[in-house]
Amino acid sequence: MIEPNNIWVYYRISTNMRQDFLRQMSAVEGYLKKHFPGKEFIVREEVASGMEEERRVELKKIIDSLQKDDLLVVASLDRIARNTFQLLKTLETISKKGACFIIVDNPELNTTSPHGKLVVSMLSSIAEFEYSLIRARCKQGLEAAKKRGVKFGRKPSFTADQIIHMSDMMKKQDTNVSSLARSFNTTARAIYRYCKSNGELTPLGEYIVTSKYKNYINRPLPPMPRRVRRKKTDVVEDVYRS
């Protein structure tokens, strides 16, 4: 086993459980006294959920402070990672700094030995293979769903007919965008997501409209009929029925 320059110890307990650091301290200190007698070590403790990686501030500080031939020690695997991908990401960051890693209750993941490095390398290969399979399955599922006509994403705030009406109104020079927005119970910013100031459709507006009226972009927009007081969406529906 190598002689580390600095030994860092990380203790963590969950926020949603009544725990203390005594069990972890007992395991880690016993290990260090046996393998590194008389060696001083730096301890960092924190209370944070293992599922929320961004909240483990002290762990991030330790990793940022690691130097070549430093050693990070934790009592158990679940104190530093909740899944294989999270673990391998942490180990990769530590390895790039030239430091080593020890899990007291899981010596197979001890990267200070050739055997431990081999185990970590095998886990990394398996995880990468599993990740590739997941991506392939997701891609196949999305393609199959698209063929069935499934639409993804949030439902648009406005229908195709409403967007056509917005476009028609925006083409008129006397249109007040704020008034138009109020008539749709929305904001001017939302209007501009679907229509430009000259009345042309944005890519999002064009996508929504052409999803319903496939030849709409190739047609000139006729004036809105005003001789009968009807709902504007109903009039547009009559004009652009495909």
Side-chain angles (χ1 to χ4, degrees), residues 110-191:
N110 179 350
T111 59
T112 60
S113 67
H115 179 266
K117 291 179 180 178
L118 175 62
V119 172
V120 171
S121 177
M122 292 173 62
L123 282 175
S124 180
S125 300
I126 293 171
E128 185 177 353
F129 174 69
E130 183 180 0
Y131 182 62
S132 299
L133 288 180
I134 292 172
R135 291 186 61 184
R137 293 192 193 106
C138 288
K139 186 177 180 181
Q140 292 173 359
L142 288 172
E143 290 176 352
K146 287 179 180 178
K147 289 180 180 179
R148 295 196 305 269
V150 177
K151 294 184 179 180
F152 298 93
R154 190 183 70 176
K155 183 179 179 180
S157 302
F158 303 102
T159 65
D161 298 324
Q162 290 174 319
I163 294 172
I164 291 173
H165 179 47
M166 288 180 191
S167 175
D168 185 22
M169 297 300 294
M170 290 289 282
K171 289 179 180 180
K172 299 179 180 179
Q173 296 182 353
D174 59 346
T175 298
N176 184 284
V177 180
S178 298
S179 300
L180 180 62
R182 284 194 296 270
S183 68
F184 282 97
N185 195 26
T186 187
T187 62
R189 184 177 180 181
I191 296 289

Side-chain angles (χ1 to χ4, degrees), residues 3 23 32 54 87 91 97 122 138 142 173 201 204:
E3 183 66 24
R23 182 188 65 82
L32 293 177
E54 66 278 0
L87 172 64
L91 291 181
K97 288 178 168 285
M122 292 173 62
C138 288
L142 288 172
Q173 296 182 353
L201 296 179
L204 176 60

Side-chain angles (χ1 to χ4, degrees), residues 3 62 79 108 124 151 176 195 224 240:
E3 183 66 24
I62 291 177
R79 297 302 90 192
E108 290 80 8
S124 180
K151 294 184 179 180
N176 184 284
C195 299
M224 290 285 291
Y240 294 99

Side-chain angles (χ1 to χ4, degrees), residues 45-124:
E45 302 174 352
E46 72 178 338
V47 180
S49 172
M51 301 300 293
E52 299 175 351
E53 186 176 0
E54 66 278 0
R55 293 193 177 183
R56 291 180 290 170
V57 179
E58 292 300 325
L59 177 60
K60 187 178 185 304
K61 288 181 180 178
I62 291 177
I63 295 176
D64 291 341
S65 301
L66 287 175
Q67 299 178 358
K68 187 176 181 181
D69 294 331
D70 280 359
L71 177 64
L72 173 58
V73 183
V74 295
S76 57
L77 178 61
D78 62 348
R79 297 302 90 192
I80 198 169
R82 285 293 189 179
N83 54 62
T84 305
F85 295 110
Q86 198 177 87
L87 172 64
L88 293 174
K89 179 182 175 182
T90 303
L91 291 181
E92 183 181 5
T93 304
I94 294 172
S95 299
K96 287 181 178 178
K97 288 178 168 285
C100 295
F101 182 78
I102 289 178
I103 300 175
V104 174
D105 69 349
N106 199 334
E108 290 80 8
L109 295 177
N110 179 350
T111 59
T112 60
S113 67
H115 179 266
K117 291 179 180 178
L118 175 62
V119 172
V120 171
S121 177
M122 292 173 62
L123 282 175
S124 180

